[in-house]
Amino acid sequence: MGKFISGKGWLLACLLSLWPILGAAQGNTLVVGILPTLSPRVLLNNYQPFRIYLQQTLKRPVELVTATDFAAFHKSTMAGEYDIVVTAAHMGRLAQIDNGYLPLATYKAANRALLLTSLTAPLKSIRDLRGRTVATLDRFALITGQALAWLEEQGLREGSDFRLLETPSHNSSGYSVLSGESALAIISPAGWKQMPANIKEGPQVYARLPEIPGLVWLANPRLTREVPQLKSALLAFSPALPEGKQFFEVTGYLGMREITPEEMKSLDSYARYLQQHLDH
């Protein structure tokens, strides 16, 4: 199924937080699926202020769930297990094209692939990557696709020229460079911001690739009539609110904004690449 609630403690916390909402039927719970860009505990903890805000604004229970990996999350998305998804932009575009998901909003923070190398033993030339390892959070991440495409432009292909190492988190990818296991790590700006100081001090940025869309909020088509209310609630969530200040300070996402049809369409090549690799 791919659905993941991080431990009994989290489930109990969610249930207790719903207790004051009298008369709210369980079937009215809004299930928000969040792409597993971090460990479940950290991810769901980061999103708690957002959950509380949505619950108060929409006046209905809100449950946060995630999955074991990107592929499992996308499978659950396409199976309709979530009412709302917070997903990678190219996965959102695929869900929009194939299943009619409705874009709601995105984050203001810029997204791009950052390539990290060791501070003490840096990669001197991209040609030196041959025969070595590149670490990433997940091969289906948009930043991974962007980085692999860029490396192909440099004449380097996964498999024949370098090995791709999938790690549990951005922190793990950064640590693999710190330990010398990988020559490069692919992370996002948000991943860099949230990296612990003891790991962040080891790598340096080797390359910053062009900006691409970040995480996108989309509604399951069964919520079509609720889209105006949902979009309004999301766009009103700002750092000026207590919950917003807490959320955006931790994540570095800055704020919310609308995502345009043109931005969604610009993801078609990444969505096709994703579909081809999910089918294998």
Side-chain angles (χ1 to χ4, degrees):
M1 295 289 284
K3 188 177 291 187
F4 190 105
I5 302 176
S6 60
K8 293 180 180 178
W10 279 113
L11 181 57
L12 179 60
C14 286
L15 291 174
L16 288 174
S17 67
L18 301 183
W19 183 259
I21 303 179
L22 301 177
Q26 185 177 3
N28 195 38
T29 298
L30 189 74
V31 178
V32 179
I34 307 171
L35 189 73
T37 56
L38 298 166
S39 70
R41 176 173 292 276
V42 173
L43 184 71
L44 298 182
N45 184 64
N46 286 354
Y47 271 83
Q48 283 304 307
F50 215 145
R51 183 191 66 80
I52 293 169
Y53 164 80
L54 288 176
Q55 193 163 270
Q56 293 172 344
T57 303
L58 300 175
K59 295 180 174 55
R60 62 189 295 189
V62 175
E63 179 186 12
L64 303 180
V65 296
T66 188
T68 53
D69 55 43
F70 282 40
F73 181 83
H74 187 68
K75 183 178 179 181
S76 293
T77 297
M78 302 304 263
E81 294 180 21
Y82 314 127
D83 296 315
I84 293 177
V85 293
V86 186
T87 191
H90 62 324
M91 289 184 168
R93 177 58 173 164
L94 199 56
Q96 181 187 26
I97 293 171
D98 290 350
N99 283 32
Y101 272 74
L102 304 160
L104 297 172
T106 187
Y107 296 119
K108 289 182 178 179
N111 188 39
R112 53 160 52 96
L114 299 178
L115 303 183
L116 304 185
T117 189
S118 171
L119 187 63
T120 56
L123 194 70
K124 295 179 181 178
S125 167
I126 198 64
R127 294 187 297 275
D128 296 336
L129 187 61
R130 284 190 170 87
R132 303 181 72 181
T133 299
V134 176
T136 189
L137 165 67
D138 194 291
R139 71 168 48 253
F140 296 123
L142 180 55
I143 56 170
T144 306
Q146 184 190 31
L148 292 180
W150 182 80
L151 288 170
E152 282 193 19
E153 292 172 1
Q154 315 307 310
L156 299 167
R157 296 179 66 88
E158 179 201 350
S160 57
D161 297 304
F162 64 88
R163 183 174 76 95
L164 189 68
L165 172 67
E166 292 183 87
T167 69
S169 66
H170 285 306
N171 294 345
S172 301
S173 293
Y175 185 77
S176 74
V177 167
L178 183 64
S179 67
E181 183 180 16
S182 302
L184 286 178
I186 306 166
I187 68 163
S188 68
W192 177 250
K193 175 180 173 58
Q194 296 175 57
M195 194 173 288
N198 64 322
I199 300 177
K200 195 173 183 178
E201 291 170 357
Q204 62 179 318
V205 177
Y206 180 81
R208 289 180 173 85
L209 302 191
E211 286 189 18
I212 51 177
L215 295 175
V216 178
W217 288 68
L218 301 98
N220 191 301
R222 64 175 172 258
L223 271 65
T224 298
R225 288 184 297 178
E226 299 177 52
V227 163
Q229 181 193 22
L230 294 171
K231 185 178 290 189
S232 177
L234 290 176
L235 294 177
F237 188 64
S238 78
L241 301 172
E243 297 88 354
K245 184 176 186 293
Q246 185 179 355
F247 175 79
F248 291 118
E249 281 185 355
V250 170
T251 62
Y253 290 146
L254 303 180
M256 305 296 293
R257 67 173 179 85
E258 292 193 55
I259 183 154
T260 68
E262 291 75 23
E263 285 180 285
M264 294 300 294
K265 188 169 177 56
S266 74
L267 296 158
D268 284 358
S269 61
Y270 289 110
R272 285 193 297 270
Y273 175 87
L274 173 67
Q275 184 67 75
Q276 290 169 1
H277 285 75
L278 283 171
D279 289 340
H280 287 107

